[in-house]
Amino acid sequence: MSIEHIDNTITSSYAKGVAYFSGRINAGDIPRCSSGYVSGTCKGNSQHRYAAIQFCGREYCNDCSKDGSPIHQRRVNKWFKKVESWTSVGYLVVTIPENIRCYFYDKEVLRDFRTKLLRKLKEDYKINKGLARYHWFGDCQNCSGKGCIICNYSGAGDNWYPHLNILFDSPGHIEDISTYLQPLRCWIANYFKKLLNREVQKYYHQLMIDESEEVAGVVDYILNIKNEINQESLVVNYSYVKEVAKRMNRVKYVTRSTFKIYNTSCRDLLYNFRNCVVWGWSKGEAANLESENTIDKYCPICLEKGLTHTIHWSKINKYKNNLILKKYEQTTGKNGERSRSYYAIQRTKPGDNQDPGNNPNQIYIPSRSYGRIESLLRHGNQDKWDTELYS
């Protein structure tokens, strides 16, 4: 996929997603995956009360996986704060060859490859700051990512296609890119060969016990794949951008979800796998960038008055009682940083059924029952819950 195509596609799909979710939430139609909202109170003024709507954040969620979803917006805002200060944004993509992708259907292999590759970049290329994230699947082959009935109009494919996306503080234009990437290509090729050697060793032990033709055939197959691996055959692409709009497009593209078609096996594989990895910042900053559920610290109303009163956030509240929220548009946080949208709590009295009607500044969220979902989780039926919610 060309860089120009990426820019055009992600700009359009992200804008459509933002508008779609803004319309839904403003109409009180909260996505089903939302477990509730976190209520917060300004420590400087107890009358400033807020609701931060929570979403599951799973890549395979029908809502959270969409380009421009609230979770996607959150990732974009966090990452863009960092890359906008760089001289230029380098974009490196390492695609796992098709004939060895089955060996990367392993959480430990995925983690090990990423860790050692990033170490190589830090030590040999002196890349001191960066962000990395895997994409698991490519675009739907039938519609080329445009959306069709086969992919449930998600634009995503369902063939395992892992590739590692890396954004980093780049020197910009590199005169001889082939020479620049040659040590990295050499290291990647050697890593793949060592991985296949370990696979061969597993079958050698079987051959020593049982000299079957089937096992011998598997060994020959793996050795043939190993012999085909060379630096020239690897897909390792580098590009860079300096313009602010293009930097934003790279961040939007890398942070989007590609696991949009629910798959139980892949879900289990990636369970508790930390996909967003950063380096070059303090431990607290890195944790904030890697987390997808961090809530902003300061009261936006007080910030407009030059006051930095913090918000005390409490536990998650269920949508059990009718709730009316007042839209509070996205503001500028402390030090000029972007802050996500807040919703000021207007009324949360049990049984209060007043509908604000056509008031564009208020959101009416009707009472919702989570009895079935809570029952499924309470009895440990995670598979059935995921199937009902995400399939």
Side-chain angles (χ1 to χ4, degrees), residues 15-31:
K16 289 179 180 177
V18 171
Y20 168 76
F21 281 99
S22 176
R24 279 190 62 177
I25 294 174
N26 292 344
D29 181 16
I30 307 299

PDB file of all heavy atoms in Angstrom, residues 15-31:
ATOM      1  N   ALA A  15     -12.042  10.684  10.019  1.00  0.00           N
ATOM      2  CA  ALA A  15     -13.012  11.785  10.136  1.00  0.00           C
ATOM      3  C   ALA A  15     -14.436  11.252  10.183  1.00  0.00           C
ATOM      4  O   ALA A  15     -15.271  11.722  10.972  1.00  0.00           O
ATOM      5  CB  ALA A  15     -12.839  12.750   8.967  1.00  0.00           C
ATOM      6  N   LYS A  16     -14.732  10.240   9.350  1.00  0.00           N
ATOM      7  CA  LYS A  16     -16.068   9.644   9.359  1.00  0.00           C
ATOM      8  C   LYS A  16     -16.365   8.981  10.702  1.00  0.00           C
ATOM      9  O   LYS A  16     -17.473   9.069  11.228  1.00  0.00           O
ATOM     10  CB  LYS A  16     -16.188   8.626   8.232  1.00  0.00           C
ATOM     11  CG  LYS A  16     -16.236   9.229   6.840  1.00  0.00           C
ATOM     12  CD  LYS A  16     -16.331   8.146   5.773  1.00  0.00           C
ATOM     13  CE  LYS A  16     -16.371   8.755   4.375  1.00  0.00           C
ATOM     14  NZ  LYS A  16     -16.394   7.708   3.326  1.00  0.00           N
ATOM     15  N   GLY A  17     -15.344   8.301  11.258  1.00  0.00           N
ATOM     16  CA  GLY A  17     -15.528   7.633  12.545  1.00  0.00           C
ATOM     17  C   GLY A  17     -15.781   8.605  13.682  1.00  0.00           C
ATOM     18  O   GLY A  17     -16.645   8.377  14.534  1.00  0.00           O
ATOM     19  N   VAL A  18     -15.014   9.698  13.695  1.00  0.00           N
ATOM     20  CA  VAL A  18     -15.204  10.710  14.740  1.00  0.00           C
ATOM     21  C   VAL A  18     -16.624  11.276  14.685  1.00  0.00           C
ATOM     22  O   VAL A  18     -17.293  11.421  15.706  1.00  0.00           O
ATOM     23  CB  VAL A  18     -14.169  11.845  14.586  1.00  0.00           C
ATOM     24  CG1 VAL A  18     -14.502  13.004  15.519  1.00  0.00           C
ATOM     25  CG2 VAL A  18     -12.762  11.322  14.879  1.00  0.00           C
ATOM     26  N   ALA A  19     -17.078  11.605  13.479  1.00  0.00           N
ATOM     27  CA  ALA A  19     -18.429  12.151  13.319  1.00  0.00           C
ATOM     28  C   ALA A  19     -19.492  11.123  13.711  1.00  0.00           C
ATOM     29  O   ALA A  19     -20.492  11.461  14.355  1.00  0.00           O
ATOM     30  CB  ALA A  19     -18.635  12.600  11.876  1.00  0.00           C
ATOM     31  N   TYR A  20     -19.273   9.865  13.334  1.00  0.00           N
ATOM     32  CA  TYR A  20     -20.222   8.799  13.642  1.00  0.00           C
ATOM     33  C   TYR A  20     -20.393   8.616  15.154  1.00  0.00           C
ATOM     34  O   TYR A  20     -21.523   8.580  15.668  1.00  0.00           O
ATOM     35  CB  TYR A  20     -19.745   7.491  13.010  1.00  0.00           C
ATOM     36  CG  TYR A  20     -20.482   6.252  13.473  1.00  0.00           C
ATOM     37  CD1 TYR A  20     -21.761   5.965  13.013  1.00  0.00           C
ATOM     38  CD2 TYR A  20     -19.882   5.373  14.374  1.00  0.00           C
ATOM     39  CE1 TYR A  20     -22.436   4.826  13.436  1.00  0.00           C
ATOM     40  CE2 TYR A  20     -20.549   4.229  14.803  1.00  0.00           C
ATOM     41  CZ  TYR A  20     -21.822   3.964  14.333  1.00  0.00           C
ATOM     42  OH  TYR A  20     -22.483   2.834  14.764  1.00  0.00           O
ATOM     43  N   PHE A  21     -19.282   8.533  15.884  1.00  0.00           N
ATOM     44  CA  PHE A  21     -19.369   8.306  17.328  1.00  0.00           C
ATOM     45  C   PHE A  21     -19.846   9.548  18.066  1.00  0.00           C
ATOM     46  O   PHE A  21     -20.537   9.439  19.082  1.00  0.00           O
ATOM     47  CB  PHE A  21     -18.020   7.838  17.878  1.00  0.00           C
ATOM     48  CG  PHE A  21     -17.756   6.389  17.621  1.00  0.00           C
ATOM     49  CD1 PHE A  21     -16.960   5.984  16.562  1.00  0.00           C
ATOM     50  CD2 PHE A  21     -18.336   5.409  18.413  1.00  0.00           C
ATOM     51  CE1 PHE A  21     -16.733   4.644  16.308  1.00  0.00           C
ATOM     52  CE2 PHE A  21     -18.116   4.063  18.167  1.00  0.00           C
ATOM     53  CZ  PHE A  21     -17.309   3.681  17.118  1.00  0.00           C
ATOM     54  N   SER A  22     -19.482  10.721  17.557  1.00  0.00           N
ATOM     55  CA  SER A  22     -19.976  11.948  18.170  1.00  0.00           C
ATOM     56  C   SER A  22     -21.501  12.000  18.083  1.00  0.00           C
ATOM     57  O   SER A  22     -22.189  12.325  19.057  1.00  0.00           O
ATOM     58  CB  SER A  22     -19.366  13.167  17.481  1.00  0.00           C
ATOM     59  OG  SER A  22     -19.895  14.363  18.006  1.00  0.00           O
ATOM     60  N   GLY A  23     -22.034  11.645  16.907  1.00  0.00           N
ATOM     61  CA  GLY A  23     -23.481  11.633  16.723  1.00  0.00           C
ATOM     62  C   GLY A  23     -24.165  10.606  17.608  1.00  0.00           C
ATOM     63  O   GLY A  23     -25.212  10.882  18.210  1.00  0.00           O
ATOM     64  N   ARG A  24     -23.565   9.415  17.716  1.00  0.00           N
ATOM     65  CA  ARG A  24     -24.154   8.362  18.544  1.00  0.00           C
ATOM     66  C   ARG A  24     -24.196   8.747  20.009  1.00  0.00           C
ATOM     67  O   ARG A  24     -25.229   8.645  20.683  1.00  0.00           O
ATOM     68  CB  ARG A  24     -23.357   7.060  18.391  1.00  0.00           C
ATOM     69  CG  ARG A  24     -23.697   6.255  17.171  1.00  0.00           C
ATOM     70  CD  ARG A  24     -23.057   4.883  17.231  1.00  0.00           C
ATOM     71  NE  ARG A  24     -23.541   4.093  18.368  1.00  0.00           N
ATOM     72  CZ  ARG A  24     -23.171   2.838  18.605  1.00  0.00           C
ATOM     73  NH1 ARG A  24     -22.311   2.246  17.792  1.00  0.00           N
ATOM     74  NH2 ARG A  24     -23.641   2.187  19.642  1.00  0.00           N
ATOM     75  N   ILE A  25     -23.047   9.183  20.514  1.00  0.00           N
ATOM     76  CA  ILE A  25     -22.973   9.500  21.940  1.00  0.00           C
ATOM     77  C   ILE A  25     -23.839  10.700  22.278  1.00  0.00           C
ATOM     78  O   ILE A  25     -24.525  10.727  23.302  1.00  0.00           O
ATOM     79  CB  ILE A  25     -21.503   9.740  22.349  1.00  0.00           C
ATOM     80  CG1 ILE A  25     -20.709   8.425  22.206  1.00  0.00           C
ATOM     81  CG2 ILE A  25     -21.415  10.245  23.783  1.00  0.00           C
ATOM     82  CD1 ILE A  25     -19.233   8.561  22.444  1.00  0.00           C
ATOM     83  N   ASN A  26     -23.842  11.685  21.395  1.00  0.00           N
ATOM     84  CA  ASN A  26     -24.665  12.867  21.646  1.00  0.00           C
ATOM     85  C   ASN A  26     -26.160  12.548  21.605  1.00  0.00           C
ATOM     86  O   ASN A  26     -26.975  13.293  22.155  1.00  0.00           O
ATOM     87  CB  ASN A  26     -24.336  13.965  20.626  1.00  0.00           C
ATOM     88  CG  ASN A  26     -22.942  14.530  20.836  1.00  0.00           C
ATOM     89  OD1 ASN A  26     -22.340  14.335  21.882  1.00  0.00           O
ATOM     90  ND2 ASN A  26     -22.419  15.206  19.833  1.00  0.00           N
ATOM     91  N   ALA A  27     -26.510  11.443  20.946  1.00  0.00           N
ATOM     92  CA  ALA A  27     -27.907  11.004  20.923  1.00  0.00           C
ATOM     93  C   ALA A  27     -28.216  10.055  22.079  1.00  0.00           C
ATOM     94  O   ALA A  27     -29.326   9.538  22.193  1.00  0.00           O
ATOM     95  CB  ALA A  27     -28.211  10.325  19.592  1.00  0.00           C
ATOM     96  N   GLY A  28     -27.215   9.811  22.943  1.00  0.00           N
ATOM     97  CA  GLY A  28     -27.409   8.910  24.078  1.00  0.00           C
ATOM     98  C   GLY A  28     -27.270   7.447  23.721  1.00  0.00           C
ATOM     99  O   GLY A  28     -27.580   6.570  24.523  1.00  0.00           O
ATOM    100  N   ASP A  29     -26.794   7.152  22.501  1.00  0.00           N
ATOM    101  CA  ASP A  29     -26.626   5.765  22.059  1.00  0.00           C
ATOM    102  C   ASP A  29     -25.197   5.322  22.358  1.00  0.00           C
ATOM    103  O   ASP A  29     -24.326   5.351  21.493  1.00  0.00           O
ATOM    104  CB  ASP A  29     -26.936   5.665  20.563  1.00  0.00           C
ATOM    105  CG  ASP A  29     -26.807   4.236  20.046  1.00  0.00           C
ATOM    106  OD1 ASP A  29     -26.778   3.311  20.880  1.00  0.00           O
ATOM    107  OD2 ASP A  29     -26.726   4.052  18.812  1.00  0.00           O
ATOM    108  N   ILE A  30     -24.954   4.917  23.592  1.00  0.00           N
ATOM    109  CA  ILE A  30     -23.616   4.505  24.010  1.00  0.00           C
ATOM    110  C   ILE A  30     -23.349   3.084  23.506  1.00  0.00           C
ATOM    111  O   ILE A  30     -24.207   2.209  23.624  1.00  0.00           O
ATOM    112  CB  ILE A  30     -23.495   4.531  25.553  1.00  0.00           C
ATOM    113  CG1 ILE A  30     -23.915   5.893  26.088  1.00  0.00           C
ATOM    114  CG2 ILE A  30     -22.070   4.208  25.985  1.00  0.00           C
ATOM    115  CD1 ILE A  30     -23.092   7.047  25.615  1.00  0.00           C
ATOM    116  N   PRO A  31     -22.163   2.799  22.925  1.00  0.00           N
ATOM    117  CA  PRO A  31     -21.850   1.445  22.462  1.00  0.00           C
ATOM    118  C   PRO A  31     -22.053   0.393  23.544  1.00  0.00           C
ATOM    119  O   PRO A  31     -21.814   0.658  24.730  1.00  0.00           O
ATOM    120  CB  PRO A  31     -20.371   1.564  22.061  1.00  0.00           C
ATOM    121  CG  PRO A  31     -20.227   2.990  21.629  1.00  0.00           C
ATOM    122  CD  PRO A  31     -21.106   3.757  22.565  1.00  0.00           C
TER     123      PRO A  31
END
